[in-house]
Amino acid sequence: MSSEKSKKRGEAKSDADCTQYIQLHQLYLFAIFLLMKKIQILPENLANQIAAGEVVERPSSVIKELVENALDAGASEITVSVEEYGIKSIAVKDNGSGIGKDMLPIAMHRHATSKISTVDDLFSIHSFGFRGEALPSIASVSRFSIISRTEEEDSAWQISSEGGKHSSINPAARNIGTTIEVKDLFFNTPARLKFLKARRTEMEHIQDVVVRLALAHPKVSFKLVSDGDEVLRFGTAQGDLLEDALPRLASFMGRDFVNNAIALENERDGVTVRGFVSLPTFNLSTNRRQYMYVNNRPVKDKLLLGALKQSYHDLLHNGRHPAAVLFVDMPAEAVDVNVHPAKAEVRFKDGRDIFGLIRGTVRRALDEHSTEVSTTPAQQALERFEAGRLPNTPQQVQFASHESYTPSIQQSFMESTHQPRVMEMSAPVLRDEAMPEAPRFQEDAEAVREDHEDFPMGAAMAQIHGTYIVAQNKNGMIVVDQHAAHERLVYERFKKQILGGNVEMQALLIPEIVELSAADVERVMEREDELKSFGMEVEQFGPSAVTVRSTPAILGEVNPKKILLDIVEDIRDMKKETALQSSIEELLSTMACHGSIRANRKLSIDDMNAILRDMERTPNSAQCNHGRPTFVELKVPEIERLFGRR
Ligand code: ADP
Ligand code: MG
């Protein structure tokens, strides 16, 4: 039927229509022809320059590629020299296997690599390089030369090129190994030059690249020379042990990090994770100090960074970040490194397992060291003590041993924004009590003290300003912020109850009516059951109020209205379908804050000792829920230093 119709229509077509159709068709073919003419295979040098756009972003990326090549060639000594932050020249010299005379021109070709030969190899990469892209890319945007000599050759050979145009091969002089020199980077692509940052920034990138690679290769010695000055030098370490990385780590991450880092090592199903993470009290405002390696390759991987973040989730306030250096090793087949132009990202076969391994390992390490507190606040405290007496007693300045403390203190001031609560005593609130009682003689006080002194947190000696507990242990003295510490204790205990599903509730004698907006009433009532599992029993009371019937017993006597209002704040930002359990940390810290001993509350020696013992038993008691320290320790030698006895 339909074909019949079209036939009829075809018959009806006039000659003019036909001519028009043919003309259109010709035009169409011509257009295709024109387009086809535009598709062509780019000259190799242009292709190299395009690749260079991805691989060679700045001088430091050249250095990364060349140093990686040297490491792939098995070098044990690598020297990087730059002039004018790498723009005038970069030279990377190694004592690796070298490139034979015949291979020199080939090495400079695109897709020329000695590191893989089949597709299978691509999924089992054991070297840094494998794309055969770096040398031709770099050569295409610079004046480039390779001098190299292999074990088999009597002399070295040199090949050079300018903007990718090769010269002949000439004899040269050097020992076994390779020197690659890159001069006038981007001389033929001036637009690229414009993208470079200030000299200092570029130099930082360069140092960063060298140190990142050096950290993962303790057995290789590295040197970085800038305009004739040696900027970095790493001698070779004895072995592959984690401790062997420490000297390099200290010069890279700062001694402060090393002093506040926990070493960790774990293995599961052929995947190992090793490295260092900072104590939660040593935290920073950015995550830039988190260095991750996969099979010794420096990466910026979201999954790894995410796992690290998760391990600290309830130990750090939002916006604060730990520092870490983590090496993750696994069979080459378990990871795809060919997913990013600069190979800075990778893809794991079993991402979820690796996430779990890292989160679990880091968290366990943190829990094991949970009663340790960063040394930084104590050092800051010392600094403050010293600064405090400068105006009145100038002679004593000489005794204060600034030499040994100043560098790390300055560094920690720069790096961290700890607010050592201990030092915030500027506004003591007077207690509304009469004259202090004369201390009564207590026979057993001495015995009690001796009993407690052997514990890490020591024996309570006094409470000052109704806010701080001063204790004495075998090493020196400890000052505890009672509110911060107690908040953490309540939090951890409460969390245990909630996770165990056995929260004790305390019924209010007189239920409290709390007025809320209608929307908030709805929000609260939607979560009636969930709130009950947190120990809060609520009931609707008209369109714009709820009644609080009970509160979590662990919090002791709390103001039911205030705690409910705070909970409303927390759940207001949450999506309806998100379970309260998934924000358990946030909700718990809100609630724990209500249940903890406030500042300005008088405590007996027994109360204080109980808190100290509790802190020793409680995981993560060294910092409050906001990542601030709950105590600082001053060791006797540090106290002696304060008085110029040392
Ligand atoms: P890839 O590293 O991906 O193989 P490159 O372009 O970086 O590609 O290097 C090409 C080849 O040149 C390498 O496969 C290697 O054989 C050789 N080569 C480069 N640099 C060195 C070096 N420093 N020592 C020995 N051989 C090198
Ligand atoms: Mg390479």
Side-chain angles (χ1 to χ4, degrees):
M1 173 77 186
S2 69
S3 69
E4 227 171 83
K5 239 186 195 172
S6 67
K7 214 176 175 186
K8 268 186 202 150
R9 225 194 286 143
E11 281 163 3
K13 260 187 187 166
S14 67
D15 280 356
D17 274 352
C18 253
T19 325
Q20 205 181 7
Y21 175 77
I22 290 166
Q23 278 175 349
L24 267 175
H25 188 70
Q26 281 175 342
L27 204 66
Y28 176 67
L29 284 178
F30 183 64
I32 288 188
F33 175 70
L34 273 183
L35 275 176
M36 272 176 65
K37 239 187 107 179
K38 284 202 172 143
I39 300 177
Q40 54 180 321
I41 298 202
L42 296 178
E44 173 157 339
N45 201 31
L46 186 52
N48 287 337
Q49 283 195 6
I50 291 171
E54 290 191 315
V55 183
V56 191
E57 196 188 343
R58 49 175 21 120
S60 64
S61 17
V62 171
I63 293 173
K64 170 182 175 286
E65 294 295 334
L66 298 182
V67 172
E68 287 184 350
N69 277 345
L71 289 167
D72 281 343
S76 62
E77 275 170 39
I78 299 175
T79 303
V80 180
S81 318
V82 296
E83 278 176 61
E84 290 181 18
Y85 63 96
I87 278 301
K88 192 167 170 214
S89 82
I90 296 169
V92 176
K93 190 173 156 197
D94 70 55
N95 64 350
S97 57
I99 308 173
K101 182 187 174 192
D102 305 342
M103 290 294 131
L104 277 178
I106 298 173
M108 308 241 326
H109 266 286
R110 204 162 149 68
H111 306 311
T113 179
S114 57
K115 299 168 195 173
I116 61 171
S117 52
T118 68
V119 176
D120 286 347
D121 292 344
L122 195 54
F123 297 99
S124 162
I125 300 279
H126 295 275
S127 52
F128 282 110
F130 54 83
R131 294 194 190 127
E133 215 168 39
L135 296 189
S137 302
I138 298 167
S140 72
V141 290
S142 67
R143 300 193 165 91
F144 185 86
S145 87
I146 309 178
I147 302 178
S148 197
R149 178 174 161 190
T150 60
E151 207 177 6
E152 295 80 41
E153 289 166 324
D154 301 333
S155 83
W157 294 92
Q158 171 166 25
I159 185 168
S160 16
S161 81
E162 196 167 310
K165 292 181 197 79
H166 303 191
S167 79
S168 54
I169 297 173
N170 300 306
R174 70 149 292 158
N175 300 333
I176 294 168
T178 306
T179 304
I180 296 192
E181 214 175 7
V182 177
K183 286 193 167 155
D184 306 324
L185 185 64
F186 301 138
F187 79 97
N188 53 351
T189 52
R192 294 243 121 208
L193 266 182
K194 286 203 198 113
F195 279 106
L196 295 182
K197 297 267 161 49
R199 191 190 175 94
R200 196 169 53 96
T201 314
E202 293 301 335
M203 211 42 222
E204 272 169 15
H205 282 294
I206 291 173
Q207 293 201 18
D208 201 59
V209 157
V210 174
V211 180
R212 265 174 198 266
L213 286 165
L215 266 186
H217 298 86
K219 282 189 177 159
V220 180
S221 72
F222 286 84
K223 213 156 77 174
L224 173 62
V225 181
S226 168
D227 293 326
D229 295 333
E230 194 173 288
V231 190
L232 284 172
R233 177 199 281 269
F234 297 124
T236 45
Q238 291 310 306
D240 278 331
L241 292 175
L242 210 47
E243 293 81 62
D244 294 323
L246 279 178
R248 287 178 185 200
L249 205 60
S251 62
F252 179 42
M253 300 285 283
R255 188 144 293 287
D256 237 24
F257 171 73
V258 173
N259 290 341
N260 291 297
I262 309 170
L264 51 85
E265 191 153 8
N266 195 9
E267 194 268 338
R268 197 168 66 201
D269 301 332
V271 182
T272 58
V273 48
R274 322 179 290 138
F276 300 90
V277 295
S278 66
L279 288 167
T281 41
F282 181 92
N283 54 61
L284 312 164
S285 61
T286 74
N287 69 353
R288 269 185 316 172
R289 288 267 171 204
Q290 297 173 357
Y291 296 95
M292 305 285 169
Y293 295 82
V294 173
N295 290 347
N296 267 1
R297 182 191 300 279
V299 293
K300 296 200 169 104
D301 188 81
K302 288 207 187 73
L303 183 115
L304 301 181
L305 294 171
L308 179 74
K309 188 173 173 194
Q310 273 266 312
S311 347
Y312 285 81
H313 65 155
D314 56 344
L315 301 175
L316 285 182
H317 214 25
N318 252 351
R320 304 299 301 171
H321 305 267
V325 178
L326 290 179
F327 299 96
V328 186
D329 292 301
M330 63 192 74
E333 301 76 37
V335 56
D336 188 354
V337 292
N338 192 21
V339 293
H340 185 270
K343 304 174 198 123
E345 285 166 23
V346 293
R347 195 178 296 140
F348 301 106
K349 226 172 172 183
D350 299 310
R352 198 190 284 236
D353 291 351
I354 287 165
F355 188 92
L357 173 68
I358 290 170
R359 189 186 49 188
T361 307
V362 174
R363 185 60 192 213
R364 206 163 325 117
L366 292 175
D367 286 347
E368 276 165 19
H369 294 259
S370 62
T371 47
E372 280 170 33
V373 71
S374 151
T375 60
T376 316
Q379 291 186 0
Q380 287 180 342
L382 272 177
E383 172 89 331
R384 198 66 84 87
F385 278 132
E386 290 176 357
R389 69 186 185 199
L390 291 183
N392 304 332
T393 52
Q395 302 100 308
Q396 289 184 345
V397 178
Q398 293 164 337
F399 294 109
S401 169
H402 280 289
E403 296 76 27
S404 53
Y405 274 104
T406 311
S408 57
I409 290 168
Q410 278 177 347
Q411 196 168 4
S412 58
F413 266 125
M414 274 167 9
E415 288 276 24
S416 71
T417 53
H418 284 299
Q419 294 296 323
R421 289 180 148 216
V422 173
M423 290 294 104
E424 288 171 4
M425 289 193 282
S426 47
V429 183
L430 285 178
R431 307 174 63 74
D432 48 14
E433 280 166 23
M435 289 289 289
E437 278 177 69
R440 249 175 295 141
F441 179 69
Q442 268 186 304
E443 255 183 311
D444 53 0
E446 188 77 356
V448 170
R449 184 174 64 74
E450 278 176 8
D451 278 352
H452 286 278
E453 221 176 69
D454 284 336
F455 288 97
M457 298 289 293
M461 304 298 288
Q463 183 190 27
I464 52 173
H465 293 292
T467 304
Y468 304 98
I469 301 168
V470 179
Q472 169 174 334
N473 66 6
K474 284 273 181 267
N475 302 324
M477 67 182 275
I478 282 178
V479 184
V480 177
D481 177 331
Q482 68 188 39
H483 173 65
H486 194 247
E487 189 174 309
R488 189 76 209 180
L489 298 177
V490 171
Y491 173 95
E492 291 290 342
R493 231 178 287 150
F494 197 9
K495 184 171 171 182
K496 214 166 145 192
Q497 282 192 0
I498 289 183
L499 294 179
N502 53 357
V503 177
E504 274 176 59
M505 284 193 282
Q506 181 174 316
L508 298 174
L509 280 180
I510 309 165
E512 175 116 359
I513 298 166
V514 185
E515 286 187 29
L516 297 169
S517 71
D520 283 342
V521 169
E522 201 177 311
R523 275 191 195 102
V524 170
M525 293 320 295
E526 262 167 11
R527 297 182 181 275
E528 188 182 347
D529 291 342
E530 284 181 285
L531 285 172
K532 198 167 172 186
S533 70
F534 277 74
M536 290 288 294
E537 211 174 354
V538 290
E539 211 170 75
Q540 184 154 1
F541 190 78
S544 58
V546 294
T547 318
V548 181
R549 299 207 154 269
S550 52
T551 54
I554 194 170
L555 302 183
E557 255 184 57
V558 288
N559 181 328
K561 181 177 172 184
K562 277 196 183 153
I563 195 167
L564 185 72
L565 290 178
D566 278 353
I567 291 175
V568 169
E569 287 304 314
D570 277 350
I571 60 180
R572 197 177 287 151
D573 301 333
M574 284 167 59
K575 286 205 197 90
K576 246 188 200 174
E577 53 282 1
T578 318
L580 283 191
Q581 283 276 355
S582 69
S583 315
I584 180 168
E585 279 83 29
E586 205 179 322
L587 210 60
L588 274 179
S589 10
T590 303
M591 294 169 84
C593 191
H594 283 271
S596 28
I597 303 176
R598 300 265 129 208
N600 295 310
R601 193 170 121 193
K602 200 171 178 187
L603 300 172
S604 70
I605 291 284
D606 284 346
D607 290 341
M608 292 191 277
N609 276 328
I611 291 178
L612 296 175
R613 299 296 77 79
D614 218 359
M615 286 177 77
E616 287 152 2
R617 281 192 301 267
T618 306
N620 308 309
S621 62
Q623 65 278 320
C624 76
N625 306 329
H626 314 297
R628 287 189 296 256
T630 53
F631 70 90
V632 293
E633 183 175 14
L634 278 181
K635 300 212 166 78
V636 171
E638 289 163 350
I639 301 173
E640 286 173 347
R641 222 188 297 265
L642 284 174
F643 294 100
R645 282 170 178 263
R646 271 185 173 236

